[in-house]
Amino acid sequence: MTPQTSQIAARYRRFATTEAAGQAPLYEALALAVAASASACSFLAPLPANRQQPNLFLAALRLVAGRVIAPEELEDLLTEKGADIAAVMQTRTTQTNEPARCATLLPALAQIQDQTQRPIALIEVGASAGLCLLPDAYGYDWGHATLPAPPSGTSPPVSPVPYAPPVFACKTSANAPLPRQHPDIVWRAGLDLNPLDVNNPEDVAWLETLVWPGQDARLARLRAAISVAQAAPPRLCAGDLTRDLAPLMAEAPQGATLVVFHTAVLTYVQNQAARDRFAQDMLNSQAVWLSNEGLRVFPQYAGPETPRHADKFLLLRNGQPLARTGPHGQSLDWIDQVG
Ligand SMILES: C[S@@+](CC[C@H](N)C(=O)[O-])C[C@H]1O[C@@H](n2cnc3c(N)ncnc32)[C@H](O)[C@@H]1O
């Protein structure tokens, strides 16, 4: 192996042992097979570093093969279908859309509506297919409280087509301000570098492929959320959150409280100065800004990182910590506000 392919091998070994282990045994085995294969690492070497990502490669292999391949099939598949796999890796990115994150966002949205006494206008930056733009269409089970989904066709988005909304379970601390009803969202729009279309079968296949193998319940909830969105897709605009947000914000209706939010997005803005400029723009705006990101995205708001919280996201409202959240929306630990 060359120094470059050795680095790639180390990245895949790290992915196998720290991310896939215990979560997706098939991906763990396949990532270890990539790490051990000089030809697989050489296949990845010419790609830009952000396209050498394990999640992207494993999803591309799966999409092209139509299933998760066994480790011993890896080299043959690369020989036979290498061009197709490379094409997927050049054109697709990891745009995992996780609607379960709405379970961690909904209390913050409801609180904003309560405090401002106005309905919500919602913008999501980095919206992918827009599934997190529909928090008022899903059901929630926070453990000690539940909020059923509105019946299909009766709530925003008003749909002529019946659908079965998902219910997202989220292990939630007792102090979280859980709403008894969905917030009133009167206007919504998303911005993404590459919006995905829930009514385009190829985009839907890619979204489904990004769910790790074996996570069947998560896949079922994703499909249910897609069916909600297919009935009345939220408006999505192509654009870069660091440049193209202001005109969209200007479209929000005056009588509503504008909330701009993002989850698992700012980590893709590699330059910290650009992230900080975005944060400053948000703080200088009239909008309420909700950020749900890994702890290192905005270290200035995160406080000291403790090992107990290292794998959690931090939910911020205008830079103030509100909660620590499971990265896939699986938990919500509300932070008591001081003063
Ligand atoms: C991991 S997905 C998260 C999607 C969604 N927020 C969720 O939580 O399910 C990240 C999304 O951010 C988008 N993205 C990354 N950088 C962006 C930028 N500078 N401007 C707009 N969108 C961006 C990607 O295209 C992708 O769809």
Side-chain angles (χ1 to χ4, degrees):
M1 288 219 193
T2 65
Q4 196 197 2
T5 52
S6 300
Q7 264 185 10
I8 293 171
R11 184 175 182 179
Y12 275 75
R13 259 193 306 277
R14 216 168 33 246
F15 172 86
T17 53
T18 62
E19 294 190 47
Q23 302 292 325
L26 294 173
Y27 267 12
E28 182 187 357
L30 198 49
L32 288 174
V34 175
S37 160
S39 57
C41 293
S42 302
F43 172 86
L44 292 166
L47 297 170
N50 65 349
R51 304 262 167 189
Q52 293 169 352
Q53 259 183 305
N55 261 324
L56 181 61
F57 186 39
L58 298 178
L61 291 171
R62 193 172 164 198
L63 189 77
V64 170
R67 62 189 167 80
V68 185
I69 57 164
E72 54 276 17
E73 296 176 287
L74 174 66
E75 297 195 355
D76 282 351
L77 185 67
L78 286 176
T79 308
E80 287 159 26
K81 300 268 170 116
D84 296 346
I85 294 161
V88 173
M89 295 180 75
Q90 298 282 8
T91 51
R92 292 289 184 185
T93 55
T94 48
Q95 291 191 262
T96 310
N97 204 178
E98 182 44 88
R101 292 182 178 128
C102 289
T104 65
L105 297 170
L106 199 84
L109 290 174
Q111 198 180 52
I112 293 165
Q113 178 173 320
D114 274 359
Q115 289 169 352
T116 62
Q117 290 292 302
R118 297 198 310 174
I120 303 282
L122 195 58
I123 290 182
E124 180 181 17
V125 293
S128 182
L131 302 180
C132 293
L133 272 168
L134 304 169
D136 48 344
Y138 305 137
Y140 301 96
D141 179 353
W142 288 291
H144 48 93
T146 58
L147 181 61
S152 136
T154 63
S155 82
V158 176
S159 159
V161 184
Y163 53 76
V167 176
F168 296 119
C170 176
K171 195 164 171 272
T172 300
S173 62
N175 61 344
L178 299 179
R180 295 224 171 90
Q181 55 192 34
H182 293 84
D184 183 15
I185 302 175
V186 292
W187 181 92
R188 71 194 83 211
L191 185 71
D192 199 285
L193 289 176
N194 179 41
L196 296 179
D197 177 357
V198 286
N199 286 309
N200 174 332
E202 287 185 4
D203 284 359
V204 169
W206 182 241
L207 282 172
E208 292 182 358
T209 305
L210 288 169
V211 175
W212 286 5
Q215 299 186 335
D216 297 341
R218 189 175 167 207
L219 181 62
R221 288 191 298 267
L222 174 77
R223 287 185 170 146
I226 289 173
S227 70
V228 172
Q230 281 170 336
R235 174 183 166 210
L236 298 178
C237 307
D240 187 326
L241 67 91
T242 62
R243 285 196 309 261
D244 304 317
L245 180 55
L248 196 56
M249 288 173 71
E251 287 184 40
Q254 289 298 317
T257 302
L258 175 59
V259 178
V260 176
F261 81 100
H262 49 86
T263 79
V265 173
L266 265 287
T267 188
Y268 294 94
V269 176
Q270 304 277 321
N271 180 313
Q272 187 65 41
R275 285 181 198 164
D276 292 345
R277 264 195 309 279
F278 172 79
Q280 205 48 55
D281 287 348
M282 286 295 98
L283 293 174
N284 291 340
S285 78
Q286 298 295 315
V288 180
W289 169 44
L290 293 179
S291 165
N292 186 44
E293 301 284 343
L295 291 183
R296 292 184 189 171
V297 169
F298 291 119
Q300 64 272 46
Y301 305 124
E305 199 174 314
T306 60
R308 196 158 70 86
H309 298 136
D311 61 345
K312 294 280 168 68
F313 279 10
L314 185 63
L315 178 62
L316 299 164
R317 173 175 164 175
N318 291 339
Q320 299 295 319
L322 280 188
R324 297 186 190 281
T325 66
H328 291 143
Q330 67 275 45
S331 66
L332 173 65
D333 294 314
W334 201 259
I335 298 169
D336 283 320
Q337 304 301 301
V338 184

